[in-house]
Amino acid sequence: MTDGNRIFDDAAALAYPRYPASDGDAKAISWLESRFEEIGLETKLQWFTYDLGPAQRALRLVLLASAIFVGLAGIVTTRTPVAGLILLVAAFSPAAVFLAWSPWLEKLYRREGKTRTANVIGRRGVTEPRMTLMLMAHHDSKSQSLTFPFRMGLTITAIAGACVLASLTLIAILTGKLPGPTWLAPAAGTATAVAAFVLSTMKSGNRSPGGVDNAGSVAITLAVARRLIVELADDIELVILSTGAEEDHMIGAMRWLDVNAKSLVFPAYCLNFDGAGAPGRAVLIERYGFGRVFSAEMSAAARRASDRLGLRPRGIVMLPGMGIDSIPFAHRGIPCLTLSSGSLGRATMSVHSANDRAEHLDPDTLAEIADLAYETMMELSSA
């Protein structure tokens, strides 16, 4: 079994604020470069710049427009359901595109800008590889003006309110009568509008030490890499990728894929880590957006590995609007499963805040996720 205390020590060494382009980010990049070299990887940095402005402005505009249209729809539906439905479609068509992370949205992130950071890449070189295995975890952290529970509550409120309003509107159109009390449709529209408006005001900062998100995960990749370097067959290429700017809409993963996706030796599998090490059960993030699957093959391999280890992982769907580095990989057809852990406890609730400290990580859980990752990758390597 992997030494969870050693993983915890690595995570604690990385747990300081490191928003992209900050001094902490530069320190983390240098630390990772030296650690990759220490464990015997051919290491290089991929520096890049970007301008998050276009994406931020587009997202805020969509949220504000959606808030206005949904609020109006809640009022109009009580008198003219068809007009209410038209307003709902106008509100949620562009919002659905953003929330589902459609591939063409990556065009918003192509512009170079003042923010400069780097991906840290390590490889176990192979002369004639027959496949590629990747371990990935982002090294940046961020704080947000809205806490994790508040942000999730607003997202759930917006989705629930929209579903209630859409259901009422469709029933009214089909039956000619709006069901329920007269205040229900306006209330659902108002709740959704307020939630969308508040979400549009959210800002990012550099106050989070990023213990759970994502120092624990980076430390796990180091632990698993140490084992795989020695034990993988000689014809398997191993890539360790610590992305920058994941917290800025996964830009680091996009930049790495722009350069490297076409040169991967297939079959290729990427195991991503995000939020791993929070106390509790292992988590497989298997779907995103509106039910899109990351990799059924990798999920099956991880579940078989879990059975051997006596673990009972939970499979979850990421709520629309949330982002992880697996998403741009999925857009390019590269299987990429994310391992996480925990539940809605103190560790998870601290994410994206100044309270996300390394002390929230659990050494036993860190070791379990590392063992699960190792077993999963070894199984995939024999495919």
Side-chain angles (χ1 to χ4, degrees):
M1 182 175 178
T2 306
D3 184 353
N5 290 317
R6 183 178 183 183
I7 300 176
F8 180 87
D9 289 342
D10 279 340
L14 187 61
Y16 46 79
R18 48 190 192 281
Y19 189 67
S22 68
D23 291 342
D25 183 47
K27 179 181 175 182
I29 291 167
S30 177
W31 182 83
L32 279 164
E33 183 181 23
S34 65
R35 296 309 302 273
F36 281 15
E37 291 173 349
E38 284 175 11
I39 64 177
L41 294 168
E42 299 173 6
T43 306
K44 72 173 183 177
L45 304 180
Q46 180 191 9
W47 291 97
F48 59 92
T49 68
Y50 62 94
D51 178 6
L52 195 61
Q56 287 179 322
R57 289 189 290 270
L59 181 57
R60 288 193 177 119
L61 179 61
V62 166
L63 287 171
L64 288 172
S66 295
I68 293 170
F69 283 127
V70 171
L72 290 173
I75 299 171
V76 170
T77 294
T78 59
R79 297 189 296 270
T80 313
V82 173
L85 181 62
I86 292 172
L87 286 169
L88 280 175
V89 172
F92 289 109
S93 293
V97 171
F98 267 93
L99 293 175
W101 287 107
S102 297
W104 66 266
L105 283 173
E106 292 187 13
K107 295 178 181 178
L108 292 172
Y109 304 99
R110 299 300 180 201
R111 181 187 296 181
E112 300 296 325
K114 295 181 179 180
T115 304
R116 184 174 185 265
T117 187
N119 295 322
V120 186
I121 307 146
R123 290 179 182 270
R124 187 190 75 154
V126 176
T127 304
E128 295 183 4
R130 64 175 175 86
M131 70 186 307
T132 304
L133 295 182
M134 292 187 62
L135 300 173
M136 175 170 63
H138 72 87
H139 57 258
D140 57 321
S141 70
K142 75 174 177 182
S143 56
Q144 289 184 303
S145 55
L146 301 177
T147 63
F148 182 83
F150 192 34
R151 186 171 75 255
M152 290 303 97
L154 289 170
T155 301
I156 292 170
T157 297
I159 293 173
C163 289
V164 169
L165 182 55
S167 299
L168 294 173
T169 303
L170 289 173
I171 292 172
I173 292 173
L174 294 173
T175 66
K177 183 180 179 181
L178 188 68
T182 56
W183 55 263
L184 185 56
T190 300
T192 302
V194 170
F197 173 78
V198 176
L199 285 169
S200 74
T201 68
M202 188 162 55
K203 296 180 181 179
S204 298
N206 189 34
R207 296 173 55 244
S208 175
V212 173
D213 187 19
N214 201 35
S217 295
V218 172
I220 288 172
T221 64
L222 292 171
V224 180
R226 290 187 194 101
R227 297 180 68 181
L228 292 178
I229 287 171
V230 175
E231 299 185 32
L232 280 177
D234 292 338
D235 59 353
I236 296 177
E237 181 181 39
L238 177 65
V239 179
I240 314 299
L241 173 61
S242 185
T243 54
E246 189 271 352
E247 299 291 7
D248 275 352
H249 301 196
M250 308 161 291
I251 293 178
M254 296 180 203
R255 291 288 200 273
W256 188 87
L257 288 162
D258 288 343
V259 175
N260 297 281
K262 292 182 179 179
S263 63
L264 292 176
V265 177
F266 285 82
Y269 302 99
C270 180
L271 197 56
N272 182 44
F273 302 86
D274 206 325
R281 288 169 60 186
V283 171
L284 309 180
I285 302 179
E286 299 178 301
R287 296 174 182 268
Y288 71 102
F290 297 105
R292 299 172 69 177
V293 178
F294 280 115
S295 172
E297 182 181 3
M298 291 189 71
S299 292
R303 291 185 181 278
R304 289 192 295 270
S306 298
D307 289 341
R308 292 194 297 272
L309 294 168
L311 303 178
R312 297 181 300 108
R314 290 184 292 114
I316 67 170
V317 180
M318 289 197 66
L319 287 175
M322 297 180 68
I324 52 174
D325 278 337
S326 296
I327 292 174
F329 276 73
H331 288 170
R332 290 162 175 80
I334 301 170
C336 188
L337 178 69
T338 297
L339 297 186
S340 188
S341 68
S343 58
L344 294 179
R346 183 177 63 176
T348 302
M349 292 298 181
S350 72
V351 166
H352 292 177
S353 78
N355 195 40
D356 183 11
R357 304 185 306 272
E359 288 77 8
H360 288 150
L361 295 166
D362 175 51
D364 290 338
T365 306
L366 290 166
E368 285 183 356
I369 300 300
D371 288 338
L372 175 56
Y374 170 79
E375 292 290 338
T376 300
M377 294 304 252
M378 291 303 291
E379 176 159 333
L380 290 168
S381 73
S382 63

